[in-house]
Amino acid sequence: MTIIINMRDGIDERKLRIAARLIREGKLVAFPTETVYGLGADALNESAVRRIFEAKGRPADNPLIVHISSFSQVHELAREVPEEAKMLAREFWPGPLAIVLPKSEIVPKVTTGGLDTVAIRMPANKIALKLIELSGRPIAAPSANISGKPSPTSAEHVAEDFYGKIECIVDGGETKIGVESTVIDLTEWPPVLLRPGGLPLEEIERVIGEVRVHPAVYGKKVDVAKAPGMKYRHYAPNAEVIVVEGSREKVGAKIRELVEEFKSKGLKVGVIGSADYGADEFFFLGRSVEEVARNLFKALRYMDRAGVDIVIAEGVEEKGLGLAVMNRLRKASGYRIVKA
Ligand code: TXA
Ligand code: MG
């Protein structure tokens, strides 16, 4: 049985208390954040956290982000809190930034995928913050999708994957940012960008100076011991995905050519981007990179429902949110990239 709590028109504290109680009882509650929906459980309750991994089909070595509603919780969850963590939190929390720090004793290894570090984030969503506050617990929450599928940006997406399998879904409407948080590791110096996301790298560097970008961000095969999440295929619809990268005009011509080629083989072709280029199915991603980020996962899920055989995605420039968008697209494609 899954209770769906509608909170699209604002917070209803009485109803949110029901969800908070479920968290305290070790149950699973999906909730909105500003990035994507999270599949939440009490981060300090081992058996509750184990259920997150089971429900998602998530490999046990892929650590979860722990969500908080007040900065003081950082001192409970982390052994050391460097000055840079405070600077970043002051600037960007609540917001789409997860900070990796050495974990304290109270955080179970199940939550951190066996690592001695913990990723912490304060989400910029009123429902999420209130849920954490009312539950009185830090909430571990990966994106609320079956492992490997596109992340959910609406309660409908969550229901597609988890209806009947979790206790509660809090529906807060569509998420604002649409790609997951930026993950930065402060247990090394210089700090390492592990996942580009909703907070642009440029913004982080403005506050703490130069950051090393983990090579896996660009799809390089690397030692994945520090960030096991990097080795798994992600964000993938059932259809095959191809990303076309290059200058605007060349990309358009290349996509048109590929669409023709696949159609002539009798395949049903979908395009996600700025124009349809003659495809059978088309999802307009948006005019700005912010809009593209917001629509990206929805577009991938749409293509699955439309039953296309192949999705051709139009690349964007890797600036600002573009770095996160391209990272997700390349992963979704399993690195099938065509340079135009
Ligand atoms: O925006 C988000 O971050 C969403 C919402 C729900 O907050 N959550 C999310 O969680 O995207 P998930 O589990 O789908 O992605 C968490 C990422 C993974 O790539 C994981 O490997 C990395 O964060 N991560 C978590 N803890 C880590 C740690 N201790 N060290 C290195 N990477 C870590
Ligand atoms: Mg995820």
Side-chain angles (χ1 to χ4, degrees):
M1 245 283 281
T2 304
I3 311 169
I4 296 184
I5 302 179
N6 182 348
M7 236 166 267
R8 288 177 185 225
D9 302 319
I11 292 197
D12 179 335
E13 206 172 303
R14 193 183 53 83
K15 286 187 188 159
L16 208 48
R17 278 181 198 284
I18 299 170
R21 194 177 64 226
L22 289 169
I23 292 283
R24 275 200 305 280
E25 289 170 351
K27 304 293 197 309
L28 302 188
V29 176
F31 62 96
T33 79
E34 79 280 34
T35 57
V36 301
Y37 274 72
L39 181 57
D42 178 352
L44 308 182
N45 177 335
E46 282 191 34
S47 59
V49 170
R50 237 177 237 115
R51 278 198 57 214
I52 294 181
F53 283 90
E54 279 162 25
K56 276 184 66 94
R58 184 179 178 105
D61 64 356
N62 193 359
L64 306 180
I65 294 174
V66 178
H67 297 70
I68 58 173
S69 58
S70 112
F71 187 83
S72 63
Q73 289 172 290
V74 172
H75 294 288
E76 292 161 27
L77 300 166
R79 227 172 31 241
E80 288 154 44
V81 185
E83 196 52 39
E84 288 72 21
K86 293 177 192 158
M87 287 159 71
L88 289 173
R90 215 174 291 132
E91 281 284 320
F92 303 120
W93 278 1
L97 176 69
I99 304 177
V100 176
L101 297 173
K103 81 168 194 69
S104 72
E105 291 277 289
I106 66 164
V107 184
K109 283 255 169 140
V110 190
T111 305
T112 64
L115 296 175
D116 195 33
T117 57
V118 60
I120 306 173
R121 152 167 138 83
M122 190 190 294
N125 176 290
K126 290 197 174 117
I127 295 172
L129 289 171
K130 198 75 193 171
L131 175 66
I132 300 164
E133 188 192 315
L134 289 174
S135 71
R137 304 283 202 282
I139 297 184
S143 50
N145 52 277
I146 299 286
S147 205
K149 291 280 140 202
S151 297
T153 56
S154 69
E156 287 76 26
H157 295 165
V158 179
E160 258 170 42
D161 287 6
F162 293 114
Y163 190 81
K165 296 182 185 140
I166 61 177
E167 282 76 19
C168 180
I169 299 173
V170 183
D171 181 353
E174 291 198 15
T175 60
K176 279 209 185 75
I177 296 179
V179 291
E180 304 89 338
S181 62
T182 301
V183 181
I184 187 143
D185 185 352
L186 293 186
T187 68
E188 277 194 47
W189 198 259
V192 186
L193 178 79
L194 296 177
R195 178 177 72 178
L199 182 69
L201 175 61
E202 295 89 332
E203 293 276 299
I204 296 176
E205 292 190 316
R206 183 169 59 72
V207 175
I208 57 166
E210 212 196 327
V211 168
R212 186 169 80 83
V213 177
H214 197 290
V217 166
Y218 298 109
K220 305 232 164 65
K221 289 254 177 330
V222 286
D223 172 20
V224 288
K226 282 217 75 178
M230 291 170 167
K231 70 181 177 234
Y232 300 107
R233 190 173 178 226
H234 265 108
Y235 316 118
N238 298 323
E240 266 188 73
V241 179
I242 295 178
V243 190
V244 182
E245 301 180 9
S247 72
R248 194 75 191 260
E249 317 78 65
K250 286 189 179 160
V251 165
K254 189 72 196 175
I255 295 180
R256 201 171 279 284
E257 189 187 311
L258 289 170
V259 167
E260 273 318 301
E261 188 187 321
F262 289 121
K263 276 172 105 175
S264 73
K265 288 179 183 157
L267 297 175
K268 185 171 176 187
V269 187
V271 162
I272 63 174
S274 64
D276 70 18
Y277 304 112
D280 300 301
E281 291 287 346
F282 168 56
F283 198 106
F284 177 66
L285 285 181
R287 278 175 193 83
S288 64
V289 72
E290 287 74 23
E291 213 183 323
V292 170
R294 201 178 306 132
N295 285 321
L296 184 63
F297 291 134
K298 194 184 181 178
L300 290 172
R301 281 185 183 252
Y302 171 84
M303 288 299 165
D304 265 353
R305 278 200 308 279
V308 302
D309 301 301
I310 191 142
V311 176
I312 303 175
E314 186 174 342
V316 299
E317 213 190 334
E318 271 175 297
K319 276 202 305 212
L321 279 185
L323 186 62
V325 167
M326 288 312 290
N327 171 266
R328 306 307 188 270
L329 278 179
R330 288 174 185 146
K331 281 193 165 193
S333 76
Y335 298 98
R336 277 189 73 185
I337 298 163
V338 173
K339 302 263 187 216

